[in-house]
Amino acid sequence: MNNELPKFERSPILPNVEEDKEIWQPRWDCFCCQDTGQIQAHLVRLIISDYDPNRDRIPVCQGCNKFDRHNLRDYGVLDTRFDLFLCKKLDAISRADWKQVTEKQFEKYKKQLDITTGQIAKTHSLASSDRTSNDEREVQQRKAEVEAISPEEWKAMNESYLVGKKDE
């Protein structure tokens, strides 16, 4: 029964490109509409303060021409008052916002890394600072004894303690 069904090749929307996994690398070219052709609502509100995307006409980006105007032109749902100059300004604002947000995220992650690294260093320093000179000498002596064990002795201990004796 499955043999009757046709087989299709994949038809991906996005190209097969090795992505840079960094958070500050968007996939879109136009920051005004994020390559959708429809200006982002938060940018429209900079021009139309009480903009409602559910009730108002669709503001069309003139900067990248990605919006399919042919299907919707006859219905009068497009807002074409946003000219190329205004779209370029909104693009620049959105790029600046994007840069600022990613810099804040980078700083946040850097602080988290610094805090974590500092806590690890503090833990290590506290562990060694709580030792007396006798404790430190004993730790160094045990370390030297462990480092002096030959590979043959390690193998014998492994068979004796961890694996178990073969005679049992």
Side-chain angles (χ1 to χ4, degrees):
M1 185 172 197
N2 286 339
N3 294 339
E4 298 170 11
L5 298 175
K7 300 292 182 195
F8 294 132
E9 294 287 326
R10 286 185 58 227
S11 182
I13 295 172
L14 297 174
N16 189 13
V17 178
E18 287 294 322
E19 294 181 35
D20 188 4
K21 298 292 184 190
E22 303 294 339
I23 58 173
W24 54 83
Q25 298 294 328
R27 291 183 180 168
W28 57 81
D29 296 317
C30 180
F31 279 70
C32 176
C33 68
Q34 297 179 358
D35 290 347
T36 64
Q38 180 178 346
I39 300 173
Q40 297 296 304
H42 70 281
L43 296 172
V44 175
R45 286 189 187 96
L46 297 174
I47 310 298
I48 306 170
S49 60
D50 58 345
Y51 172 72
D52 182 357
N54 298 318
R55 301 186 68 202
D56 296 338
R57 292 180 182 206
I58 300 169
V60 179
C61 177
Q62 304 296 325
C64 65
N65 295 318
K66 301 258 180 175
F67 199 83
D68 185 11
R69 296 177 178 87
H70 303 294
N71 292 337
L72 298 174
R73 183 179 296 156
D74 297 334
Y75 298 107
V77 296
L78 301 181
D79 188 347
T80 57
R81 296 178 291 174
F82 293 78
D83 62 1
L84 177 62
F85 182 72
L86 187 53
C87 286
K88 292 296 182 185
K89 279 188 170 183
L90 293 175
D91 180 80
I93 290 169
S94 185
R95 285 178 191 272
D97 289 346
W98 183 264
K99 182 178 179 182
Q100 184 180 16
V101 166
T102 54
E103 284 175 354
K104 284 181 182 179
Q105 287 178 340
F106 181 74
E107 288 299 318
K108 177 181 135 188
Y109 293 131
K110 186 178 176 189
K111 285 180 184 176
Q112 287 176 344
L113 181 63
D114 291 345
I115 289 170
T116 304
T117 307
Q119 287 174 344
I120 291 171
K122 185 177 179 182
T123 303
H124 286 292
S125 68
L126 285 176
S128 62
S129 65
D130 289 345
R131 294 179 184 158
T132 64
S133 60
N134 286 337
D135 291 339
E136 186 63 33
R137 188 176 62 245
E138 186 177 338
V139 166
Q140 293 301 325
Q141 184 179 355
R142 288 182 184 174
K143 180 179 179 231
E145 289 171 0
V146 168
E147 289 173 344
I149 297 174
S150 70
E152 293 80 22
E153 289 176 301
W154 277 116
K155 185 176 180 183
M157 285 189 289
N158 178 35
E159 290 174 357
S160 177
Y161 296 112
L162 301 176
V163 178
K165 295 182 181 177
K166 296 179 181 175
D167 297 337
E168 295 177 355

